[in-house]
């Protein structure tokens, strides 16, 4: 019974957390500065497990940070810079007030700045860490690079973002690491595999932004500040891994080719190089001039057996597929019409080894003209074109995207001018069993397996076949479970109606005499019954969990069914329309 | 003739003279008393307002200077001797400030060199009020320290007046108080005063409207403006400057001053991860949670999605009416026929911004996703097949009652079944055939029936309203039937007749023929009757919350009734005898109390955790007990283990009405309002360390739900693994 009474909230979780305001006071920063610091250092609030305990008995909604985080911020040199900047602003204001222009100039010259290098290094101790976190940086930089040069943020930031994104695109082109592309209503998604990391980014369409008023651009600018630093270092490192010169230089050969006679008409000297780089039509200069970069990095054969061998084979196969995809457009010569998004298409086509050009008036860097006879594909996005060359395909841009996603050159017929395009599917969706798979995807999968493209009339049957095939692939266990589920539902729903039937007295089931199928059915029923009884004996907690899982499963099946029904209705209506049209024609 | 020369220091020849133009007398020229002024003498004349003589003089006073006579001057002045008058006028300065109070003491000029005035009579008293000298004969001291005496005769008012009247120069005479002499101003001085009064320049000849001549003209001249040779210092470097420069140089050398660097606008990048340490924990701590990546888009986000992903008209309406947070999709799927028709996404910046906010404002938490196969959650139980026998199929339906069958009971031989119903009948059935052997009308809805468990006695207890009827159905062995009758008739009333709570009445006449043997009339409505295992004792329940007369125990052989409880412990739901030991179980609404009948004490109080107990059954072994409750639960108690339920089963969806144990098989059954009877395997081991094994083995359905009531009572066949159930649909069913 001895000893001091322990005070409340002086131990345990209450001491591990700190509220935002207290943290701010501890750091002696204004809220804006605190936020900026959090953004730069990647500090985020934590949700304590026992909120009331941490909040010292109060239930008021508060934001909590880990005390360790805040202590860690205390030693940050950037904090001092923030304070210096505050002083600088005060001095500047004073000088302005006194109209001391020399002082203003002097202060301006000595404006305190800070670098984020150490923070980047600290947040991302290894390069892979940084690469893993680059998705947001990419999307943000691509967004900022499309901003107008006036207004929302500094021009330097915009140009820097542009420069970095161009560098990135050049890297992806050179390393041929683009994997998937997707045209969404938001913008164009790209997915690249860089050093084993899947990196996805979203590029908005090239339109002027309608800047919303309820967005705090300072927050975005702070993020961008951090992201550009991170992104620059990553680019440097990536260029280094490919033996490329950083900042990127065009190949001397390419450069001489690109030398246009009216360069200065097109852009200022300072900008033209970046523009040439962003044209993406030329290869980059290397530090060590290798003769040809085509060193086939063959997988060495290791003596292996059993599972290892299988793994190895799988890996080898994968790599081969990958290489095949990388050479998807090799040997093709594309010409982009002026109405298609040049940068995006040039980027994708170059990533897969095609030659691309465009009209000279469209952008710098076009290497050949429309009149070139060797052009194999011309990408057009208009209903019709006047002068057509006979030895090239005129296709819509979706062909490129779909082909990339399918990892094969799709038949061009579906993508000719004026043709209603097939639906564009997201390559990021990986359907699990039980999910709805759109029929186009099934068709595509059949095509990838090497099946012949069948005629329209047979399509429906084909679809069914595919369905079945697909179902066969589904794990048996899950399938049975699904069936069980459905059966149970049926039973439940039918329970009331069939009661009278069930109760008919004296009807002994043919236990032994039944046929084989009957036996199987009986066995199944028995199993279902067993399961149901076992479920009754579940513990409350587990029952809850089980119910939740089952609910989720049922929901997915319900949604899939809904989509399938919708599709069916749509097809019915479209068929009816077709028939009507035919009838009218006749 | 002497003239007054007033000089001021400023121009060297300036002095101050005060003129009180209107009231002053003219200075007498020949006045011998008057001190003689040298031209250098500085005279100060303060026009003291309070001076009696000069009382009403308060106007502006002028300082004037006169140099009418040719005097000796300084060298400088000598040069301009010829022009002295002009010079004098130049020097006249109007000094209004000085006039009022005492003027500034003027510095003395070099001593006069005038031959005519060898004595300097300048007063040396300084700037003091002259009335201090009123009482003295002198007014001060000259430079030699000799007293300056006042004039012998002061002018009085009359003199003044006369002077004013007679002296034509009176208006230009001023009185010098320090020397007590009058001074007559000359014409020039008067002129000067006039000019100054008008605000003109003191110098007559000064032309204020002269055309200005620029010192530097716009014409380039061949000669320099000044002919002065340049200074030597303009040729040699300045020492001071050198000192300053050297200081700056030193500061730069020491690094105190840094040269202004050209601003670096482009950031410098280098290989930041040149020396990376893969083992380094993220700078802060291990609790860092990396931000989750953005969700990848699905088919519905495509610019040209498959048609099934587009929203129908109703879905679109619903989407628009939903709040932004509730929407499943944050955007409307749209279909565009070609790429050029795709517009900009209006919420692009918003979404990016929201992502930013998520990154720095959202608390991050590692959520353990239960990636569990639901199959694994299902407990592994022995297969029901291995636990046979148990009833699996419905084999017989006993039809005959016209209202819900509240209670059933099987005979100890298992040949007969009795049932009591709300249609005021008791029916006796043959179990194997389903034939109704006998129907007895009783005077009310039958609440409970119970067959005497003693196989040597053929008695059935039936309760309706406030009566408990003991029947002899006359079924089965004749011997048993007759011996039962004999047992009842052999009763001999004791000598002393005790007052009992219940009246015992022997049935006679037609009732006797119907099988009625004994009628126990209770004071209140009876709900349940239950036999003791030996068949002699009978307990009846009269639920009543307000009295202690709720449970009565009757002894049939002695026709005796006793009330075992003195206190009311709550509404009694049902009671039961222990099959082997003298224990008595009383279930109130929430608790089951176990009484020792011999010791007459409470041994145990079982907490059922139920809201309202409906039924109770005791394992034939006597150590386990099940309780059914109206809140859909069945509680299994292991009496040796604890007073809390060993297991709580929530198999039924609706209120439980009846529970029963099988006498021999490890089975128990529960019937509920959802119309189902659930048979469970409830194995009780002799080994005390092993807990009972409870496995549900069969759900029996058959009863139809009428008026929200399903199964009302269940009971097992005494020997076979069969179960009877009676339901609200007026049927009794046998499951085998």
């Amino acid at each position: 019974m001895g000893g001091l009474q322990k005070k409340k909230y002086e131990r345990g979780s209450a001491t591990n957390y700190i509220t935002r305001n207290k943290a701010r006071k501890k750091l002696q920063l204004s809220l804006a500065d605190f936020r900026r610091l959090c953004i730069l250092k990647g500090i985020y609030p934590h949700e304590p497990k026992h909120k009331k305990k941490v909040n010292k008995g109060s239930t008021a909604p508060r934001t909590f940070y880990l005390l360790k985080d805040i202590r860690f911020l205390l030693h940050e040199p950037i904090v001092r810079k923030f304070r210096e900047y505050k002083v600088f602003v005060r001095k500047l204001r004073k000088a302005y007030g006194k109209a001391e222009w020399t002082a203003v100039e002097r202060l301006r010259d000595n404006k305190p700045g800070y670098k984020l290098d150490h923070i980047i290094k600290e947040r991302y101790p290894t390069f892979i860490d940084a690469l893993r976190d680059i998705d947001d940086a990419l999307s943000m930089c691509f967004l900022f690079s499309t901003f107008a040069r006036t207004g929302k943020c500094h021009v330097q930031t915009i140009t820097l973002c542009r420069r970095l994104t161009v560098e990135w695109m050049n890297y992806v082109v050179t390393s041929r690491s683009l994997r998937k592309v997707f045209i969404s209503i938001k913008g164009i998604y790209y997915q690249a595999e860089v050093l084993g990391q899947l990196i996805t980014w979203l590029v908005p369409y090239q339109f002027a932004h309608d800047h919303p008023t309820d967005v705090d651009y300072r927050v975005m600018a702070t993020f961008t500040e951090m992201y550009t630093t991170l992104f620059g270092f990553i680019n440097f490192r990536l260029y280094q891994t490919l033996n490329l010169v950083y900042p990127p230089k065009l190949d001397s050969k390419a450069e001489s080719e690109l030398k246009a006679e009216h360069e200065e008409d097109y852009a200022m000297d300072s900008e033209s190089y970046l523009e040439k780089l962003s044209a993406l039509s030329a290869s980059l200069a290397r530090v060590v001039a290798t003769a040809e970069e085509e060193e086939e990095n063959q997988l060495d054969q290791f003596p292996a057996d059993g599972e290892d061998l299988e793994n190895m084979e799988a890996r080898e196969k994968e790599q081969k597929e990958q290489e095949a995809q990388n050479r998807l457009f090799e040997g093709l010569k594309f010409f982009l019409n002026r109405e298609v998004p040049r940068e995006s298409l040039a980027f994708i086509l170059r990533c897969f080894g095609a030659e691309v050009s465009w009209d000279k008036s469209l952008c710098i860097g076009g290497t050949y003209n429309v009149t070139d006879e060797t052009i194999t594909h011309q990408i057009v996005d208009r209903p019709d074109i006047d002068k057509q060359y006979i030895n090239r395909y005129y296709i819509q841009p979706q062909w490129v995207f779909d082909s990339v996603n399918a990892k094969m050159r799709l038949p061009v017929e579906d993508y000719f001018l004026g043709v209603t395009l097939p639906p564009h599917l997201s390559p990021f969706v990986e359907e699990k069993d039980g999910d709805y798979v759109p029929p186009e995807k099934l068709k595509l999968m059949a095509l990838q397996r090497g099946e012949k493209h069948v005629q329209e009339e047979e399509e429906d049957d084909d679809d069914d076949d595919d369905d079945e095939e697909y179902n066969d692939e589904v794990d048996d266990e899950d399938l049975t479970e699904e069936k069980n589920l459905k059966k149970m539902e049926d039973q439940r729903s039918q329970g009331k109606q069939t009661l009278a039937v069930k109760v008919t007295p004296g009807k002994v089931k043919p236990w032994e005499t039944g046929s084989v199928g009957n036996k199987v059915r009986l066995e199944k029923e028995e199993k279902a019954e067993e399961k149901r009884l076992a479920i009754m004996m579940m513990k409350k907690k587990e029952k809850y969990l089980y119910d939740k899982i089952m609910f989720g499963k049922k929901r997915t099946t319900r949604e899939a069914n809904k989509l399938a029904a919708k599709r069916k209705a749509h097809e019915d209506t479209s068929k009816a329309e077709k028939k009507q049209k035919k009838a009218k024609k006749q | 003739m002497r003239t007054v020369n007033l000089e001021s220091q400023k121009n060297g020849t300036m002095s101050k003279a005060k003129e009180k133009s209107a009231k002053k007398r003219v200075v007498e020229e020949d006045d011998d008393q008057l001190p003689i002024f040298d031209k250098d003498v500085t005279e100060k004349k303060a026009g003291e307002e309070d001076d009696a003589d000069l009382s009403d003089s308060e106007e502006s006073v002028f300082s004037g200077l006169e140099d009418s006579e040719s005097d000796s001057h300084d060298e400088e002045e000598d040069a301009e001797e010829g022009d002295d008058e002009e010079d004098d006028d130049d020097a006249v300065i109007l000094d209004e400030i000085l006039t009022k109070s005492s003027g500034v003491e003027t510095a003395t000029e070099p001593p006069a060199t005038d031959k005519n005035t060898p004595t300097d009579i300048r007063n040396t008293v300084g700037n003091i009020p002259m009335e201090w000298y009123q009482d003295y004969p002198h007014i001060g001291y000259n430079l030699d320290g000799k007293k300056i005496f006042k004039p012998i005769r002061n002018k009085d008012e009359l003199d003044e007046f006369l002077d004013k009247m007679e002296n034509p120069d009176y208006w230009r005479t001023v009185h010098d108080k320090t020397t007590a002499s009058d001074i007559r101003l000359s014409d020039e001085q008067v002129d000067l005063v006039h000019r100054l009064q008008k605000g003109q320049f003191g110098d007559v000849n000064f032309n204020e409207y002269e055309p200005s001549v620029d010192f530097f003209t716009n014409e380039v001249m061949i000669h320099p403006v000044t002919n002065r040779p340049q200074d030597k210092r303009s040729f040699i470097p300045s020492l001071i400057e050198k000192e300053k420069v050297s200081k700056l140089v030193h500061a730069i050398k020491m690094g105190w001053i840094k040269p202004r660097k050209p601003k670096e606008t482009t950031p410098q990048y280098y290989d930041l991860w040149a020396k990376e340490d893969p083992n380094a924990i993220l700078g802060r701590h291990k609790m860092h949670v990396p931000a989750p990546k953005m969700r990848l888009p699905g088919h519905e986000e495509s610019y040209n999605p498959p048609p099934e992903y587009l929203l129908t008209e109703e879905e679109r309406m619903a989407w628009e009416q939903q709040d932004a947070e509730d929407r499943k999709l944050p955007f409307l799927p749209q279909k565009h026929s070609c790429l050029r028709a795709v517009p900009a996404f209006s919420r692009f910046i918003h979404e990016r911004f929201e992502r930013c906010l998520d990154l720095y404002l959202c608390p991050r938490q590692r959520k353990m996703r239960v990636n569990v196969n639901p199959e694994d959650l299902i407990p592994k139980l022995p297969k029901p097949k291995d636990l046979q026998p148990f009833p699996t199929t419905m084999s017989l339906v006993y039809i005959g009652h016209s209202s819900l069958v509240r209670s059933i009971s099987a005979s100890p031989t298992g040949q007969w079944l009795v049932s009591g119903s709300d249609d005021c009948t008791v029916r006796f059935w043959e179990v194997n055939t389903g034939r109704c052997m006998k129907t007895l009308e009783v005077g009310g809805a039958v609440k409970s029936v119970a067959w005497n468990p003693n196989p040597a006695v053929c008695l059935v207890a039936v309760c309706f309203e406030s009566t408990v009827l003991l029947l002899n159905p006359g079924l089965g062995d004749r011997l048993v039937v007759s011996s039962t009758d004999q047992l009842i008739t052999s009763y001999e009333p004791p000598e002393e007749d005790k007052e009992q709570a219940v009246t015992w009445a022997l049935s006679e006449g037609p009732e006797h023929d119907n099988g009625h043997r004994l009628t126990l009339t209770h004071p209140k409505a009876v709900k349940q009757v239950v036999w003791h295992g030996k068949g002699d004792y009978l307990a009846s329940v009269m639920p009543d919350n307000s009295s202690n007369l709720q449970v009565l125990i009757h002894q049939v052989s002695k026709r005796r009734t006793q009330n075992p409880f003195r206190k009311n412990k709550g509404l009694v739901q049902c009671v039961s005898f222990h099959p082997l030991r003298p224990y008595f179980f009383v279930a109130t609404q929430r608790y089951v109390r176990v009484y020792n009948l011999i010791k007459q004490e409470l041994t145990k109080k079982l907490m059922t955790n139920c809201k309202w107990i409906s039924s109770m059954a005791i394992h034939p072994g006597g150590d386990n007990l099940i309780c059914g409750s109206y809140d859909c639960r069945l509680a299994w108690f292991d009496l040796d283990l604890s007073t809390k339920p060993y297991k709580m089963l929530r198999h039924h969806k609706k209120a439980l009405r009846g529970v029963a144990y099988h006498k021999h098989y490890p089975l128990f059954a529960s019937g509920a309002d959802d119309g189902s009877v659930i048979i469970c395997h409830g194995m009780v081991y002799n080994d005390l360390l092993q807990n009972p094994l409870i496995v549900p083995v069969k759900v029996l359905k058959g009863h139809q739900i009428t008026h929200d009531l399903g199964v009302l009572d269940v009971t097992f066949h005494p020997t076979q693994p069969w179960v009877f159930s009676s339901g609200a649909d007026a049927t009794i069913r046998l499951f085998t």
Side-chain angles (χ1 to χ4, degrees), chain A residues 293-347:
Chain A
E293 69 268 30
E294 298 301 315
E295 346 92 46
E296 293 279 323
N297 41 353
Q298 291 275 355
L299 265 188
D300 291 337
Q301 293 287 346
F302 295 106
D305 51 2
E307 218 170 277
D308 283 353
L309 193 69
E310 271 174 31
N311 281 346
M312 185 94 76
E313 274 169 5
R315 227 181 309 150
E316 216 168 296
K317 197 180 162 197
E318 206 171 279
Q319 190 166 5
K320 264 185 191 163
E321 262 177 27
Q322 195 54 62
E323 264 165 29
Q325 197 201 354
N326 283 347
R327 293 154 180 280
L328 182 62
F329 295 141
E330 218 147 81
L332 299 188
K333 233 174 164 184
F334 284 84
F335 190 83
L336 307 181
N337 246 28
R338 58 170 63 250
E339 68 272 6
V340 298
R342 186 203 67 83
E343 190 171 293
S344 146
L345 277 169
F347 173 56

Side-chain angles (χ1 to χ4, degrees), chain A residues 257-511:
Chain A
E257 273 174 20
L258 272 183
K259 203 82 175 172
E261 54 267 38
H262 301 301
E263 223 169 61
E264 55 279 3
D265 295 350
Y266 181 73
M268 283 194 294
D269 265 352
S270 58
E271 289 176 354
S272 70
Y273 203 79
L274 182 64
E275 290 291 336
K276 269 190 233 167
L277 273 176
S278 67
L280 298 170
S281 58
S283 52
L284 300 181
R286 288 178 187 264
V287 176
V288 186
T290 47
E292 280 300 311
E293 69 268 30
E294 298 301 315
E295 346 92 46
E296 293 279 323
N297 41 353
Q298 291 275 355
L299 265 188
D300 291 337
Q301 293 287 346
F302 295 106
D305 51 2
E307 218 170 277
D308 283 353
L309 193 69
E310 271 174 31
N311 281 346
M312 185 94 76
E313 274 169 5
R315 227 181 309 150
E316 216 168 296
K317 197 180 162 197
E318 206 171 279
Q319 190 166 5
K320 264 185 191 163
E321 262 177 27
Q322 195 54 62
E323 264 165 29
Q325 197 201 354
N326 283 347
R327 293 154 180 280
L328 182 62
F329 295 141
E330 218 147 81
L332 299 188
K333 233 174 164 184
F334 284 84
F335 190 83
L336 307 181
N337 246 28
R338 58 170 63 250
E339 68 272 6
V340 298
R342 186 203 67 83
E343 190 171 293
S344 146
L345 277 169
F347 173 56
I348 296 168
L349 291 171
R350 290 272 299 141
C351 274
F352 294 98
E355 272 183 88
V356 205
S357 182
W358 45 81
D359 197 67
K360 235 179 229 153
S361 60
L362 185 63
C363 183
I364 204 167
T367 42
Y368 45 88
N369 267 331
V370 205
T371 50
D372 196 330
E373 292 287 329
T374 54
I375 291 174
T376 57
H377 293 71
Q378 184 165 351
I379 298 179
V380 185
D381 194 8
R382 54 175 81 178
D384 202 11
I385 198 162
D386 291 337
K387 196 187 172 196
Q388 294 200 357
Y389 290 81
I390 203 152
N391 59 345
R392 65 176 80 156
Y393 293 119
Y394 286 86
I395 47 172
Q396 301 198 37
Q398 196 189 319
W399 181 80
V400 177
F401 291 84
D402 281 350
S403 298
V404 167
N405 291 339
K407 301 183 183 177
M408 59 185 291
R409 287 184 212 163
L410 291 176
V412 286
E413 293 86 34
D414 296 343
Y415 298 90
F416 279 156
L417 289 193
V419 167
T420 311
L421 289 168
H424 180 58
L425 297 174
S426 165
F428 303 113
V429 180
E430 275 163 17
E431 278 93 356
K432 279 173 265 160
D433 354 294
D435 286 352
Y436 173 72
V437 187
E440 286 84 10
K441 180 127 186 179
L442 294 172
K443 224 193 289 178
L444 183 72
M445 278 153 69
L447 212 59
Q448 278 171 339
R449 281 197 299 270
E451 286 170 24
K452 287 268 170 154
H453 187 63
V454 279
Q455 293 299 310
E456 289 276 322
E457 284 80 26
E458 294 168 17
E459 215 165 71
D460 289 357
D461 308 4
D462 203 43
D463 276 2
D464 291 350
D465 291 350
D466 283 358
D467 262 341
E468 278 171 20
E469 274 181 33
Y470 185 70
N471 281 346
D472 288 349
E473 288 166 16
V474 170
D475 285 354
D476 281 355
E477 276 181 40
D478 286 283
L479 196 71
T480 49
E481 188 183 327
E482 195 96 324
K483 277 182 182 168
N484 283 347
L485 265 178
K486 274 182 187 166
K487 206 172 279 170
M488 272 164 65
E489 271 176 71
D490 288 350
Q491 278 176 354
R492 241 169 254 160
S493 61
Q494 287 172 5
K496 281 173 193 171
Q497 302 158 7
T498 53
L499 261 183
V501 183
K502 269 197 171 174
V503 181
T504 41
K507 207 176 187 180
V508 183
K509 279 177 186 169
W511 192 258

Side-chain angles (χ1 to χ4, degrees), chain B residues 35-46:
Chain B
I36 297 163
F37 288 109
D38 186 277
K39 64 164 272 206
D40 291 329
V41 169
T42 302
E43 175 130 1
K44 262 189 34 210
K45 166 85 175 163

Side-chain angles (χ1 to χ4, degrees), chain A residues 510-525:
Chain A
W511 192 258
E512 291 294 318
T513 55
S515 63
V516 180
N518 215 352
K519 240 181 201 171
V520 170
R521 198 169 57 88
L522 276 175
E523 234 164 62
K524 263 185 188 168
E525 264 176 25

Side-chain angles (χ1 to χ4, degrees), chain B residues 431-692:
Chain B
V431 167
N432 288 340
T433 57
R435 181 174 165 209
C436 179
M437 301 299 291
K438 214 171 190 182
T439 308
L440 285 182
E441 292 270 347
V442 292
V446 180
K447 290 281 191 291
S448 169
V449 291
W451 206 295
N452 195 325
N454 189 353
V457 178
C458 182
L459 263 185
V460 175
V462 177
C463 77
F464 60 92
E465 287 175 356
S466 60
T467 316
V468 173
L469 206 59
L470 294 183
L471 297 172
N472 185 352
L475 296 173
D477 199 345
R478 286 277 162 84
L479 224 73
V480 172
V481 172
S482 58
S483 72
T484 308
D485 279 346
Q486 213 170 1
L487 186 80
I488 286 171
T489 49
S490 66
Y491 167 73
E492 282 178 12
E495 280 85 58
E496 34 178 316
D497 210 5
K498 263 208 277 181
E499 187 70 22
Q500 295 198 90
V502 167
T503 51
W504 294 72
L506 200 63
S507 303
E508 281 164 353
E511 283 187 346
H512 187 274
D513 297 341
N514 277 347
H516 292 212
R517 292 296 176 265
L518 282 169
T519 311
L520 288 78
T521 315
H522 286 67
K524 280 176 282 188
V526 184
K527 195 190 158 199
Q528 194 208 1
V529 283
V530 64
W531 286 100
H532 183 252
K534 296 261 170 59
D536 194 20
Y537 287 96
L538 175 74
S540 60
V541 179
M542 299 172 283
D544 181 4
N545 218 355
S546 56
S547 107
N548 63 346
L549 190 72
Q550 291 198 77
V551 181
L552 291 175
I553 296 181
H554 317 282
Q555 193 177 8
V556 177
S557 58
K558 291 184 179 165
R559 296 194 193 170
R560 228 173 44 176
T561 299
Q562 53 181 338
N563 178 13
F565 302 118
R566 248 171 298 151
K567 269 188 193 163
N568 169 25
K569 290 276 174 68
L571 192 67
V572 177
Q573 297 297 316
C574 51
V575 296
S576 184
F577 287 100
H578 192 282
L580 307 172
R581 283 189 284 275
Y583 288 130
F584 191 59
F585 296 83
V586 180
T588 55
Q589 208 168 311
R590 307 189 62 166
Y591 307 104
V592 176
R593 291 186 171 81
V594 186
Y595 294 94
N596 190 332
L597 288 174
I598 291 180
K599 287 185 185 167
Q600 302 207 330
E601 63 179 15
L602 179 73
T603 39
K604 241 172 214 165
K605 184 179 168 192
L606 307 178
M607 322 285 180
T608 58
N609 292 344
C610 301
K611 292 271 158 20
W612 198 308
I613 294 171
S614 64
S615 51
M616 171 176 66
I618 291 141
H619 193 264
D623 283 343
N624 293 283
L625 180 143
I626 48 174
C627 265
S629 78
Y630 290 115
D631 48 346
C632 321
R633 300 180 203 197
L634 189 144
W636 174 294
F637 289 93
D638 192 333
L639 295 179
D640 298 332
L641 206 65
S642 146
T643 58
K644 300 237 166 59
Y646 158 67
K647 207 142 224 182
M648 207 66 155
L649 307 177
R650 291 178 191 78
H651 296 168
H652 286 283
K653 294 278 175 302
K654 282 186 176 168
L656 270 78
R657 294 272 169 185
V659 290
Y661 271 113
H662 198 281
K663 277 226 168 60
H664 308 298
Y665 291 103
L667 291 174
F668 65 91
S670 58
D673 275 348
D674 54 3
S676 66
V677 176
I678 293 178
I679 311 292
C680 295
H681 179 86
M683 181 56 121
V684 176
Y685 301 96
N686 287 331
D687 182 7
L688 282 175
L689 291 175
Q690 202 163 2
N691 286 328

